[in-house]
Amino acid sequence: MKLLNQSLTYLSGFILLIVTIWSVVFYFSMLNEIKSSIDEELENHKRLIISKAESDTTIIQQRDFDERNYVIREIGREPALSFRNRYIDTLVYMQDDDDEEMELEPVRMLVTAFENNGLYYELKIINPMLEEDDLIKDLFWFVLLLYIVLVISIILINNIILRKLWKPFYEFLGQLKNFRLGNSKNLPVIETRTKEFNDLNNTVNSLLENSIEIYEQQKQFIGNASHELQTPLAIVTSKLELLLEQNTLKEEEAEHIAGILKLIERMVKLNKSLLLLAKIENRQFLNNSIVSFNKIARQLTTDLEDLASYKNVSVELHERAELQAELDPALATIIVTNLVKNAIVHNSENGAVSITILENSLIVSNTGARELDKDSIFERFNKTDQNINGSGLGLSIVYAICGLYNYKISYSFKEGKHYFEVVI
């Protein structure tokens, strides 16, 4: 979730909480004020009724609630003397102008007692709360409207003011995403008067400058290593080959030199593989373009026919879909070549290799006698067969390329076959 949306979520949540608490407090405060006001009116009404009852005895005969909104009944002396004023919220059958018949309506009732001419009476006075209920409902909708207005205001502020405030940050972030070591000439720049953003710009650029310096040093080292190692190896190889061509060596000496040439050839391959790994890890292969894995696989099956024939292994290509991806063409070729060549070399007698291309994955399988160690199969210099003349870096290189492009590579063993799957 974006920072702007997170801030909006938190602000809305806190405002909802604050408005909710405030609404509850406001509601009960208003309700208490309303009831206090009604109770004062009931108290005044009580005094008037008691006062009139001394001169007008017909008032004491009021037994039902009508337009006078009170009833009086005679009670004993002891209950009357122990009586305390009680204010009650209750329902009473009443009929308004717009009602066809009497309905239960909310009222506030005062229950009290008084003495008149030596007799004691219970007095109940009611005050309808229809208008008060309407007022409370209006207050509720007002609070709800207030919350909606506040949220809309926050959204507008978030999308206008905060978006403008964070714009330099997102522009700087976009420059960082597009920055590539060795390819980008200019460092990301943030144009703002905000101190925190300027500090961020300075810190990031300082780290990038160090990274560029280290990258250039590694790049120079890789180039120098490639030159300094390949040249002497090539010279030694040519001189040994000249010795063999002179036919002046004994058979045993010639065999020793042939063995040395094989070791040198292995060193050359190892050197190339290590340099390739270093270049991949330093992201020196990022000349990306749309690559067809189908085309690479078709060409590879033709190129490796001799090797497969020599190993007495059959190679089948199954194209179930067209698989394309954006990556460096050289690295795409290395992925397919290393997997297929590895499947041919590490195979059983009269074995088979299957290349399956799906919509979003490449699967290379080959026959085998036993399952390999899943935890170490992609490690460097891991060789399942020590008798095979290889560097032990083929799968490590494939794993490094997959990591460079966030591809997923996995290994499994099912029904006597090894399966390597690369999910694009």
Side-chain angles (χ1 to χ4, degrees):
M1 184 184 291
K2 287 187 176 181
L3 185 61
L4 288 173
N5 295 331
Q6 284 187 352
S7 63
L8 176 63
T9 302
Y10 288 130
L11 284 172
S12 300
F14 279 118
I15 286 181
L16 176 60
L17 178 63
I18 293 171
V19 171
T20 301
I21 296 174
W22 177 84
S23 300
V24 172
V25 174
F26 181 74
Y27 170 82
F28 285 106
S29 298
M30 291 301 298
L31 191 61
N32 185 61
E33 288 296 325
I34 291 171
K35 288 182 178 181
S36 297
S37 178
I38 293 175
D39 292 346
E40 289 182 3
E41 293 181 10
L42 291 173
E43 184 67 27
N44 289 331
H45 199 182
K46 164 195 161 183
R47 295 192 189 96
L48 291 174
I49 293 172
I50 294 174
S51 176
K52 287 184 178 180
E54 293 177 355
S55 58
D56 186 359
T57 56
T58 58
I59 291 177
I60 300 176
Q61 307 302 320
Q62 181 72 25
R63 297 289 184 266
D64 298 313
F65 289 110
D66 51 22
E67 68 278 359
R68 296 183 181 182
N69 292 339
Y70 68 89
V71 293
I72 298 176
R73 71 180 182 90
E74 187 175 348
I75 59 175
R77 180 176 181 275
E78 290 186 4
L81 293 177
S82 61
F83 216 99
R84 295 290 183 272
N85 289 349
R86 289 185 293 137
Y87 297 93
I88 305 171
D89 293 323
T90 184
L91 297 174
V92 174
Y93 278 101
M94 300 180 68
Q95 185 173 7
D96 294 336
D97 295 338
D98 55 349
D99 295 335
E100 296 181 358
E101 56 185 20
M102 298 184 69
E103 297 179 356
L104 283 173
E105 302 290 353
V107 297
R108 183 75 169 168
M109 178 184 293
L110 168 61
V111 182
T112 186
F114 68 97
E115 182 267 338
N116 184 272
N117 295 326
L119 298 177
Y120 296 90
Y121 301 91
E122 179 190 65
L123 171 63
K124 294 181 179 180
I125 309 171
I126 61 173
N127 191 333
M129 295 186 64
L130 292 175
E131 295 182 0
E132 287 76 7
D133 278 359
D134 292 339
L135 176 60
I136 292 173
K137 289 179 181 178
D138 291 341
L139 288 174
F140 169 77
W141 289 111
F142 173 77
V143 171
L144 181 62
L145 178 62
L146 174 64
Y147 173 72
I148 294 173
V149 170
L150 287 174
V151 171
I152 293 174
S153 300
I154 289 173
I155 293 174
L156 291 175
I157 293 172
N158 184 74
N159 283 279
I160 296 174
I161 299 177
L162 293 182
R163 189 178 294 276
K164 184 178 180 181
L165 181 64
W166 284 94
K167 184 179 179 181
F169 172 79
Y170 286 112
E171 290 178 350
F172 181 70
L173 187 62
Q175 294 180 57
L176 280 178
K177 289 180 179 179
N178 296 324
F179 186 83
R180 295 291 181 271
L181 285 174
N183 293 332
S184 301
K185 296 181 180 180
N186 299 321
L187 293 174
V189 178
I190 186 169
E191 297 181 359
T192 179
R193 292 180 295 177
T194 305
K195 181 181 182 299
E196 288 77 7
F197 290 166
N198 287 324
D199 291 342
L200 175 66
N201 186 19
N202 295 333
T203 303
V204 170
N205 285 347
S206 177
L207 291 173
L208 287 177
E209 287 172 354
N210 292 334
S211 299
I212 292 171
E213 183 179 354
I214 295 172
Y215 171 80
E216 292 298 332
Q217 290 174 356
Q218 290 180 340
K219 186 177 178 181
Q220 185 178 3
F221 169 77
I222 292 169
N224 293 338
S226 177
H227 176 73
E228 296 297 331
L229 287 175
Q230 296 286 33
T231 301
L233 288 174
I235 293 172
V236 172
T237 301
S238 63
K239 287 186 177 182
L240 290 174
E241 288 175 347
L242 285 173
L243 283 175
L244 288 175
E245 291 174 359
Q246 290 177 2
N247 295 323
T248 59
L249 300 175
K250 296 179 181 180
E251 184 177 350
E252 185 179 354
E253 293 173 340
E255 288 179 357
H256 282 306
I257 292 176
I260 294 172
L261 284 172
K262 287 183 179 180
L263 287 174
I264 292 174
E265 183 182 358
R266 184 178 174 185
M267 288 181 64
V268 171
K269 291 180 179 179
L270 180 61
N271 179 49
K272 289 181 178 180
S273 297
L274 288 172
L275 290 174
L276 178 61
L277 268 173
K279 287 182 178 180
I280 292 171
E281 291 173 350
N282 284 319
R283 297 177 174 266
Q284 292 177 228
F285 289 94
L286 285 174
N287 298 317
N288 297 340
S289 61
I290 301 299
V291 177
S292 171
F293 280 87
N294 301 66
K295 185 177 179 181
I296 295 173
R298 290 190 214 106
Q299 182 63 43
L300 190 62
T301 53
T302 303
D303 294 341
L304 295 179
E305 279 182 357
D306 294 338
L307 177 62
S309 178
Y310 173 76
K311 296 289 291 185
N312 198 20
V313 172
S314 63
V315 179
E316 295 181 353
L317 174 61
H318 305 282
E319 299 182 60
R320 306 284 173 78
E322 180 68 25
L323 178 59
Q324 293 184 341
E326 185 176 356
L327 74 161
D328 190 291
L331 297 184
T333 302
I334 291 172
I335 290 177
V336 183
T337 302
N338 284 14
L339 289 177
V340 176
K341 193 173 180 180
N342 185 73
I344 294 174
V345 173
H346 298 278
N347 212 315
S348 56
E349 186 71 21
N350 298 320
V353 174
S354 175
I355 307 169
T356 305
I357 299 177
L358 304 177
E359 186 177 355
N360 64 342
S361 65
L362 169 71
I363 303 174
V364 178
S365 64
N366 65 281
T367 50
R370 59 186 177 82
E371 184 176 5
L372 304 177
D373 186 2
K374 294 181 179 180
D375 296 329
S376 62
I377 192 170
F378 296 110
E379 292 180 359
R380 298 183 183 184
F381 304 108
N382 177 59
K383 298 174 67 174
T384 57
D385 190 347
Q386 298 298 328
N387 296 323
I388 293 178
N389 185 20
S391 64
L393 293 172
L395 292 178
S396 299
I397 292 172
V398 174
Y399 186 81
I401 297 172
C402 291
L404 180 64
Y405 289 98
N406 293 323
Y407 297 162
K408 181 181 178 182
I409 182 170
S410 60
Y411 163 77
S412 61
F413 184 78
K414 302 175 185 176
E415 300 177 354
K417 285 188 177 183
H418 303 284
Y419 289 88
F420 289 89
E421 181 179 10
V422 177
V423 180
I424 306 300

